[in-house]
Amino acid sequence: MEDMKQQLKTIIIDELKIQGVTPADIGDKDPLFGDGLGLDSLDAVELVVVIQKHFGVQIADMDEGRKAFESVETLAAYITEHKN
């Protein structure tokens, strides 16, 4: 799970082109949206595509995504639970 969290942090920064942030700057439980990492709704749509591309996990709807995207920790748990 720790490897996946680190991988997710790197993927989020690289794929969403977040400037001035390193994986070490993102806490496992830090919020990804709003006051946390500062992602917005467009980033959420892009993140759905990125998760499917890198992990083969589809996030079916935004209610599911909202829970999964709370933090790196919740996203890693979601991917682990839904990965084949």
Side-chain angles (χ1 to χ4, degrees):
M1 184 76 94
E2 287 303 315
D3 287 346
M4 181 179 288
K5 290 177 191 175
Q6 290 306 311
Q7 185 180 5
L8 277 170
K9 292 173 186 178
T10 301
I11 288 169
I12 290 168
I13 291 168
D14 291 346
E15 294 280 350
L16 301 182
K17 298 174 180 50
I18 299 172
Q19 304 289 322
V21 176
T22 68
D25 296 332
I26 305 172
D28 292 348
K29 295 182 180 184
D30 290 351
L32 296 178
F33 292 86
D35 292 336
L37 193 54
L39 302 183
D40 60 24
S41 59
L42 292 177
D43 294 323
V45 173
E46 197 168 343
L47 199 50
V48 168
V49 174
V50 166
I51 296 305
Q52 185 169 7
K53 174 181 152 187
H54 286 274
F55 299 99
V57 172
Q58 184 169 4
I59 297 174
D61 60 58
M62 288 316 288
D63 285 337
E64 217 171 79
R66 196 169 293 123
K67 293 176 187 170
F69 293 160
E70 286 179 13
S71 67
V72 168
E73 185 170 279
T74 59
L75 186 53
Y78 183 87
I79 291 168
T80 300
E81 183 180 327
H82 291 85
K83 198 171 181 178
N84 294 333

